[in-house]
Structure formats: structure tokens, C-alpha cells
Amino acid sequence: MGQKVNPVGFRLGSFLPWKSRWFLEGKNYREALLEDIKIRKFIFDSLRIAGVVDVEIERLPKSIVVIVTVSRPGIVIGRGGTGLEDLKGKLVDLLEKIRGRSLDKDLKIDFRVNEVKNPDLSAYLVATRIASDLERRIPHRRVVTKAMERVMMSGALGVKVILSGRIDGADISRVEKFQLGSVPNQTLREEIDYAQVPALPKKGYVGVKVYIHKKKS
């Protein structure tokens, strides 16, 4: 059987940075890891309309820095920065709920917002768009073909999309693969963006996987 490895996880530490940057031991490690998972879920759910692509978390002894990468930063920042302040307040409430106590007065929470230069080269945004169209019952071949053409027109070297599940509401699940250009699976030096998003149409689950081979920046 083939050994499947997440292309992003495969490159972590050597060619790509870690999404969580901190060091703790024992019980503190478990608690911080759980906090990171819940923080990411909260941000992806709260800022879905802003097109969240990535959430990075850095921890220092007296601060937590959350770096959010989105396609529409104006929605996150809001008028005069009110959106960021509101988001920070909600995050403080979430952390207090997780920890079961008030946060230390010395603890500083900082939000930073980065903009995605080209949304059509983000695997997560492309996969989310495909999943949304599948849920609206648009024929899957039309959806995937248009998405792949947009990716290639944006300057990608290659793109691969894999759909698996009850495609078009079929009674028996199947896997369909689509590819344009080159998408090397075993070359570590190449920049491959990967995302996996579930589509939930009324007739059954469809998994969407997107691989985008980008030019080296």
C-alpha cells in the first residue's frame, strides 16, 4: 500500500515554519496544545467571511501573539481597529473559559493580521470554494475545472484536486482525481501548498483535497 504523508507536515522544520512556536513541558504542554486547537477553531469559525487561510501562535512568558493570515484583512481590522479589539475581547473570554480562571494581569494578547497576496494560490481557499459549490449542487467537474484554471492563470506550476465520497449524490462512494501541470509528491525542495476540506451536501459527505505547486518566492 502507498504511504500517504501530508505535504505540509512532511516539510515542517526543514522548509516550512511550525504553526505553533513555543516550548513547554509536562502538563503545561498539554494545556497549551489544547488552547491552540481551540483558538484556531474559534478564529476559523469567527472569521470565515474574511477568508482565513492560516493561524500561527507564538507564546512568550508574558504574552501570546496570534498571527492571522486572511484574504480580506479589512473585515478583521474593522473601522478604526474596532474589529481587532472585539476579537481580542472574545479571545480573552475563551481563554478564561478554558483555564477556568481569570488571566494574569501581566499577560498580553497581541493580534497581527497578514494579507494573502493571491487567494487563488491558497490551497485552503480553493478547497473551501470547491466545497461550497459542491454543497450548492453544482456539477463537480465544472466546479473543479474552473477552480484549477483560476489557479493556473494565477501563476501556479501545477494543481491537483482529489474528490472522495458520494460525488454527485452517488449511492456508492468513489474517488476522482484531477490535475493540471506538475505536482511533485516526493521533492522536498518544491513549494507545495495543501489543504483538506469537507463538503457536506444533503446526499452525503465528499472530501476535497487540493495540492498547489507554487513557484519559489
Side-chain angles (χ1 to χ4, degrees):
M1 295 179 64
Q3 305 300 312
K4 277 73 172 180
V5 179
N6 185 306
V8 177
F10 194 36
R11 291 167 171 79
L12 277 178
S14 300
F15 299 92
L16 294 176
W18 296 91
K19 305 296 182 184
S20 294
R21 294 186 283 275
W22 42 265
F23 180 81
L24 292 169
E25 293 181 330
K27 182 180 178 182
N28 292 331
Y29 174 84
R30 297 195 302 270
E31 292 175 350
L33 179 61
L34 180 61
E35 277 186 5
D36 282 9
I37 293 171
K38 292 188 176 181
I39 288 172
R40 284 195 175 87
K41 185 178 186 305
F42 162 73
I43 292 176
F44 271 96
D45 291 343
S46 301
L47 302 179
R48 186 181 300 274
I49 192 173
V52 183
V53 174
D54 196 13
V55 178
E56 300 176 54
I57 300 172
E58 297 178 351
R59 292 175 185 265
L60 295 172
K62 294 186 178 181
S63 68
I64 298 176
V65 181
V66 181
I67 305 169
V68 184
T69 305
V70 298
S71 60
R72 300 173 185 171
I75 296 177
V76 181
I77 297 171
R79 182 173 297 178
T82 55
L84 275 180
E85 291 301 320
D86 182 49
L87 189 64
K88 188 183 296 185
K90 292 180 179 178
L91 182 57
V92 170
D93 293 341
L94 176 66
L95 290 174
E96 289 180 344
K97 183 178 179 181
I98 295 172
R99 298 183 181 185
R101 55 182 171 81
S102 299
L103 298 182
D104 296 336
K105 294 181 179 180
D106 296 336
L107 182 64
K108 180 182 177 183
I109 297 179
D110 186 21
F111 259 96
R112 300 176 189 172
V113 181
N114 295 332
E115 182 179 4
V116 179
K117 295 180 180 179
N118 193 338
D120 286 327
L121 289 180
S122 168
Y124 182 80
L125 291 180
V126 173
T128 302
R129 192 182 303 126
I130 291 174
S132 176
D133 288 343
L134 293 177
E135 290 173 354
R136 291 161 50 202
R137 296 185 179 183
I138 300 176
H140 71 282
R141 284 191 176 85
R142 185 194 308 171
V143 170
V144 173
T145 300
K146 287 185 177 180
M148 293 173 68
E149 288 175 352
R150 281 196 298 266
V151 171
M152 295 301 290
M153 289 175 63
S154 297
L157 298 176
V159 56
K160 179 167 66 174
V161 178
I162 301 176
L163 302 181
S164 59
R166 296 187 61 183
I167 301 171
D168 286 342
D171 292 334
I172 299 175
S173 65
R174 66 181 188 274
V175 177
E176 290 196 21
K177 299 180 182 180
F178 307 85
Q179 182 170 333
L180 286 177
S182 66
V183 183
N185 293 326
Q186 298 180 356
T187 307
L188 280 172
R189 291 187 295 272
E190 297 298 333
E191 186 174 349
I192 307 292
D193 193 12
Y194 168 79
Q196 180 176 348
V197 174
L200 304 173
K202 291 184 178 179
K203 293 189 177 181
Y205 181 102
V206 178
V208 181
K209 293 181 181 179
V210 175
Y211 302 74
I212 297 179
H213 181 196
K214 300 180 181 179
K215 296 179 181 178
K216 288 186 177 180
S217 55

